[in-house]
Amino acid sequence: MDYSELSRQADEARRHSYCLYSGYSVGAALLTRSGKVYTGCNIENASYPAGICAERTAYAKAVSEGEREFAAIAIAGGPKGGKPADAYPCGVCRQFMNEFVSGDDLDVVIVHKELDYTVHKLSALLPCSFGPGNLN
Ligand code: THU
């Protein structure tokens, strides 16, 4: 699978990042199984823990529009105004994304400096996970 365009969209989404406190902008581009893309950025807050990561912004947009099935998410993060620098999703985001994996694993696309990328399976980034199935 070629994720060049998704990676570009993740980097583009960094432009809207609200990161007054960290100066670290993150963009995410979430691809649904039907081929639609929802983007998101990190949105920080003067009350620091109230901020939200780019990945969860993208998921909140998609899920609140009725989407439930996702194929991939590209993530681009780094110092604001600079090139992406290998931003892997935080633990909270890994858990959040795991909620919506059913059947096929999610491709997590990490965007590097020159908009090249590497692809990881969410199950590899979050082994031995706790998910919806545990509550059955
Ligand atoms: N951040 C994300 O948006 N996604 C992650 O997976 C890691 C961290 C944001 C949160 C905060 O606004 C900034 O990056 C610095 O931690």
Side-chain angles (χ1 to χ4, degrees):
M1 182 75 182
D2 183 356
Y3 288 123
S4 310
E5 174 58 18
L6 201 66
S7 297
R8 195 199 60 74
Q9 286 178 276
D11 190 45
E12 170 100 9
R14 294 176 67 204
R15 289 198 303 144
H16 302 300
S17 165
Y18 183 79
C19 57
L20 294 190
Y21 307 104
S22 70
Y24 190 89
S25 64
V26 185
L30 176 62
L31 176 66
T32 69
R33 295 223 170 264
S34 64
K36 223 172 147 186
V37 175
Y38 292 83
T39 60
C41 64
N42 55 332
I43 308 170
E44 298 184 350
N45 191 278
S47 175
Y48 294 178
I52 186 170
C53 291
E55 298 90 322
R56 279 175 288 138
T57 301
Y59 268 83
K61 286 170 68 177
V63 172
S64 63
E65 298 282 324
E67 304 287 355
R68 292 291 185 273
E69 299 192 342
F70 304 103
I73 185 168
I75 304 161
K80 191 165 179 59
K83 293 185 172 189
D86 300 359
Y88 282 80
C90 77
V92 173
C93 287
R94 293 178 197 204
Q95 178 66 31
F96 197 94
M97 298 190 286
N98 184 59
E99 184 72 18
F100 299 99
V101 174
S102 57
D104 285 340
D105 213 340
L106 182 79
D107 280 346
V108 179
V109 180
I110 305 300
V111 183
H112 307 302
K113 213 167 60 198
E114 304 303 335
L115 292 195
D116 49 327
Y117 58 85
T118 49
V119 184
H120 305 263
K121 295 292 182 190
L122 182 62
S123 61
L125 298 179
L126 189 70
C128 307
S129 65
F130 185 90
N134 291 97
L135 300 180
N136 289 336

